[in-house]
């Protein structure tokens, strides 16, 4: 049974917490964290445990590390990553894709398990206004337009090199979350209607629909997935949580509800 770890962060208070979420969707609280800077707009964790904190208005970033046992270390130094990135996603273990939905600019980089950051390349010519960008641990990338249902796929290799793969039309509109779990599996969720679906996105950026999963609760505001296959659902208003799992073939299974989470976690990310 593979292990997975979660990092919780509140951008208003600088508080954090860690937990474990295994491949069967079993959740275990680990520890609270204090002393984080406030105001980070993006928090990303890679499958190997490197953590990147990013502040879009100033372009500042900071590093950390989350190990497989849920132990977290924060590095008290900042780097300049450039202002205005609207999306930063991890794919292919240590690779990162930066994207600006207003300009169509992009960037790739790598962050290792010790929190060391390295720029790979600057990119241009992306379509603008992608609403969601999701990366899988196997290296696939999926870009989604909420209003039109248009999708594009790409891939990041282990060295942080980006390759466009294809555009795909005909997706449902209105997905509010697209979450990667279990290396190449994807969960689609509509927080307004409770609709869901699953798919597969392999290391070459090839997408395959698996099935619909209706009947989700509405209002989940954060959903975090782990390469181990565990998924955590969270409602920031009432502190309600739930766990589930996705297997390697994109099959979904609900596990259980978990009440009593703190409210107002702004970010939950998994490795």
């Amino acid at each position: 049974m593979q292990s997975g770890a979660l990092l919780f962060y509140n951008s208003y208070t600088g508080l954090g917490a860690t937990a474990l979420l295994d491949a069967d969707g079993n959740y275990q609280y680990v520890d609270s964290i204090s002393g984080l800077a406030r105001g980070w707009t993006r928090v990303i964790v890679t499958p190997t445990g490197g953590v990147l904190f990013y502040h879009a208005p100033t372009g500042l970033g900071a590093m950390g590390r989350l190990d497989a046992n849920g132990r977290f270390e924060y590095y008290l130094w900042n780097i300049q990553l450039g202002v205005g990135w609207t999306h930063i996603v991890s794919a292919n273990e240590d690779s990162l894709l930066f994207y600006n939905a207003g300009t169509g600019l992009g960037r790739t980089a790598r962050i290792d398990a010790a929190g060391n950051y390295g720029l790979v390349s600057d990119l241009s010519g992306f379509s603008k206004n992608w609403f969601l960008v999701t990366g899988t641990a196997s290296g696939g990338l999926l870009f989604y337009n909420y209003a039109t249902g248009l999708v594009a796929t790409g891939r990041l290799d282990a060295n942080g090199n980006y390759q466009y793969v294809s555009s795909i039309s005909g997706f449902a509109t209105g997905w509010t979350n697209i979450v990667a779990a279990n290396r190449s599996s994807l969960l689609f969720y509509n927080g307004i209607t409770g609709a869901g679906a699953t798919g597969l996105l392999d290391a070459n950026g090839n997408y395959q629909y698996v099935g619909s999963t209706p009947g989700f609760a509405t209002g989940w505001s954060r959903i975090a997935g782990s390469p181990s296959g565990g998924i955590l659902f969270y409602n920031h208003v009432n502190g309600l949580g739930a766990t589930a799992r996705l297997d390697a073939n994109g099959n979904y299974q609900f596990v259980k509800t978990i009440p009593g989470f703190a409210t107002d976690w702004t970010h939950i990310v998994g490795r």
Side-chain angles (χ1 to χ4, degrees), residues 83-87 97-108 121-130 133 143 162 164:
V83 300
W85 299 117
T86 55
H87 301 70
L97 175 73
F98 296 72
Y99 167 69
N100 186 315
T103 65
L105 295 176
R107 173 178 291 176
T108 64
S121 62
D122 287 312
L123 306 168
S124 61
F126 284 89
S127 295
K128 300 177 183 179
N129 299 318
W130 292 119
V133 183
F143 302 80
Y162 171 82
Y164 170 80

Side-chain angles (χ1 to χ4, degrees), residues 73-149:
E73 183 179 3
Y74 187 50
Y75 304 136
L76 295 175
W77 50 272
N78 292 331
I79 60 172
Q80 179 55 243
L81 300 173
V83 300
W85 299 117
T86 55
H87 301 70
I88 306 174
V89 299
S90 167
N92 207 332
E93 305 300 346
D94 296 329
S95 296
L96 300 173
L97 175 73
F98 296 72
Y99 167 69
N100 186 315
T103 65
L105 295 176
R107 173 178 291 176
T108 64
R110 298 186 71 247
I111 176 173
D112 67 20
N116 299 304
Y117 173 88
L119 173 68
V120 176
S121 62
D122 287 312
L123 306 168
S124 61
F126 284 89
S127 295
K128 300 177 183 179
N129 299 318
W130 292 119
F131 175 68
L132 296 172
V133 183
T134 303
T136 70
S138 64
L141 292 165
L142 186 139
F143 302 80
Y144 171 71
N145 187 308
Y146 177 95
T148 65

Side-chain angles (χ1 to χ4, degrees), residues 53-70:
F53 299 86
Y54 171 70
H55 186 245
T58 62
L60 287 179
M63 305 298 161
R65 184 174 189 276
L66 178 68
D67 72 17
N69 296 311

Side-chain angles (χ1 to χ4, degrees), residues 6-8 14-18 29 31-36 66 70-74 265:
L6 298 172
L7 174 65
F8 298 75
L15 294 177
T18 62
Y29 171 81
D31 200 6
S32 62
I33 305 167
S34 59
L36 299 177
L66 178 68
R71 292 187 295 261
F72 173 77
E73 183 179 3
Y74 187 50
W265 293 119

Side-chain angles (χ1 to χ4, degrees), residues 61-262:
M63 305 298 161
R65 184 174 189 276
L66 178 68
D67 72 17
N69 296 311
R71 292 187 295 261
F72 173 77
E73 183 179 3
Y74 187 50
Y75 304 136
L76 295 175
W77 50 272
N78 292 331
I79 60 172
Q80 179 55 243
L81 300 173
V83 300
W85 299 117
T86 55
H87 301 70
I88 306 174
V89 299
S90 167
N92 207 332
E93 305 300 346
D94 296 329
S95 296
L96 300 173
L97 175 73
F98 296 72
Y99 167 69
N100 186 315
T103 65
L105 295 176
R107 173 178 291 176
T108 64
R110 298 186 71 247
I111 176 173
D112 67 20
N116 299 304
Y117 173 88
L119 173 68
V120 176
S121 62
D122 287 312
L123 306 168
S124 61
F126 284 89
S127 295
K128 300 177 183 179
N129 299 318
W130 292 119
F131 175 68
L132 296 172
V133 183
T134 303
T136 70
S138 64
L141 292 165
L142 186 139
F143 302 80
Y144 171 71
N145 187 308
Y146 177 95
T148 65
L150 185 64
V151 161
T153 64
R155 62 183 301 269
L156 274 182
D157 69 18
N159 295 314
N161 299 303
Y162 171 82
Q163 179 184 355
Y164 170 80
V165 177
S166 66
S167 62
I168 310 172
S169 59
F171 277 72
T173 58
W175 298 121
T176 53
N177 303 75
I178 302 176
V179 181
N182 210 330
R183 308 295 301 173
S184 298
S185 296
L186 296 174
L187 174 69
F188 298 76
Y189 168 71
N190 186 317
I192 299 170
T193 66
T198 62
L200 295 172
L201 183 66
D202 69 19
N204 294 317
N206 300 308
Y207 175 81
Q208 177 185 346
Y209 172 78
V210 175
S212 63
T213 53
F216 283 90
T218 58
W220 296 119
S221 46
R222 319 271 183 262
I223 306 176
S226 165
S228 69
I231 296 175
L232 178 77
F233 298 84
Y234 168 74
N235 186 315
H236 78 282
V237 176
N238 58 27
L240 185 64
T243 63
R245 61 183 302 271
L246 271 181
D247 70 17
N249 296 313
N251 299 304
Y252 173 86
Q253 180 185 356
F254 174 79
V255 178
K256 61 181 176 181
T257 58
I258 310 173
F261 283 86

